[in-house]
Structures are given as C-alpha cells and as structure tokens.
Amino acid sequence: MITGGLISQVNPLAANSVTARVGALTHPEQDKSDDSAMYFLRWKNGMVATLSMCAWRGGATEYGGDVFFENGMAKFRISYGGEGDDTGVWVANSKSGTWTFESVPETNSFQDEFSAFIESLELGDEDTPVPQQHGLRVFKILEAAEESSRAQQEIVID
C-alpha cells in the first residue's frame, strides 16, 4: 500500500487509555441511538489518536477516516454513490501539497464476515480469521469509552 505500512503500525487495540464523550442525541424524538462520539486513545509510548463519529438527518454524506502522521496525512473514503466519489486511500505529500490516490476494492464487509463465520463452522475450524482476544479487546476499549463518558475522565484500559 502507498502508505508505506504506516497505518498497519498503528494498532488501536494496543491503546492503554481512552477519554471519550459518547451519546449526544441530535434527534432524540426519532432515534434512541448515539448520534455522536469522540474518542481520544493514548498509548504507553506517547502516541495518541482521535476517533470521531457523527450522524445527521440531512446534508452531505461521507464515510471514511483521516489519519495524521508526523510528516503528512492519509484519508480513506468509502463510496456512497455521489459524483466523483471513489472508494480508496489518498496520501498527502506534505512537501508538495499534492494527494496520491490508490483505489481500494469495494466489498460487502458484513456479508464477507458472515460468510467466513459460516465457513468456519462448516469446516470445524478452531482458529478464526480474527482471534477471539481481538474481539475481547475491542469490547474492553468500548466499555472503557462508555465509562469515560459517564465519569468524564480518562480511563486506563487493562
């Protein structure tokens, strides 16, 4: 990938603390789900990351994420059907101010995950493509984020 492996070195599951604000309801009369969330993850080595999510009833649609590095940035976008809307990764050259685009094949992630799960059951596969410890760590981070939002303080993740 054109990011030179930088993104693969950022393992969010290795974060050791989280500060979060979760649960602003933009339209509480219509929807009882969280419309917004902001997560600030911190690693023992001093690296930090901010993750945010928001939803709204009208306006522009955008699916993806931005990653900021010491010497540049990358953005990932998933097509939603708009004109000039491509699924892929753009990497910024901080010296020239230009972007390089790399197309990413579109897949149906939920279908792929479900199919892999069924296949593992049919084959009696004891080793899943994503280790169970990975899923457990995701839940620990999400639970810490909910606790951080309630307590309004940073939560250390064990």
Side-chain angles (χ1 to χ4, degrees):
M1 180 172 263
I2 57 179
T3 57
L6 290 175
I7 292 176
S8 65
Q9 295 174 24
V10 179
N11 179 2
L13 299 181
N16 72 316
S17 73
V18 62
T19 304
R21 295 297 178 264
V22 181
L25 298 177
T26 306
H27 304 287
E29 71 285 356
Q30 292 180 334
D31 197 355
K32 302 301 179 200
S33 63
D34 297 331
D35 285 346
S36 65
M38 177 72 72
Y39 303 92
F40 182 80
L41 299 172
R42 185 185 312 271
W43 285 257
K44 288 181 182 177
N45 67 5
M47 185 174 69
V48 297
T50 302
L51 307 172
S52 63
M53 180 280 301
C54 65
W56 54 88
R57 182 175 18 189
T61 301
E62 184 170 274
Y63 303 112
D66 298 329
V67 182
F68 298 89
F69 302 102
E70 197 170 302
N71 295 312
M73 65 179 284
K75 60 183 179 179
F76 172 72
R77 297 292 183 267
I78 300 171
S79 175
Y80 57 88
E83 186 176 326
D85 171 38
D86 297 315
T87 296
V89 175
W90 287 259
V91 178
N93 180 324
S94 58
K95 291 180 182 172
S96 69
T98 60
W99 291 88
T100 304
F101 173 74
E102 182 172 314
S103 180
V104 174
E106 292 188 47
T107 65
N108 182 332
S109 301
F110 293 122
Q111 179 67 44
D112 294 347
E113 183 178 357
F114 186 73
S115 296
F117 175 71
I118 295 299
E119 183 179 337
S120 70
L121 292 177
E122 292 173 346
L123 297 174
D125 190 358
E126 294 180 20
D127 184 28
T128 59
V130 177
Q132 295 172 3
Q133 292 302 319
H134 177 95
L136 179 60
R137 185 68 180 169
V138 169
F139 275 109
K140 284 185 178 187
I141 291 171
L142 291 173
E143 287 175 342
E146 291 285 342
E147 176 60 24
S148 172
S149 186
R150 275 192 296 279
Q152 295 188 4
Q153 67 183 25
E154 182 175 20
I155 301 295
V156 174
I157 305 164
D158 55 4

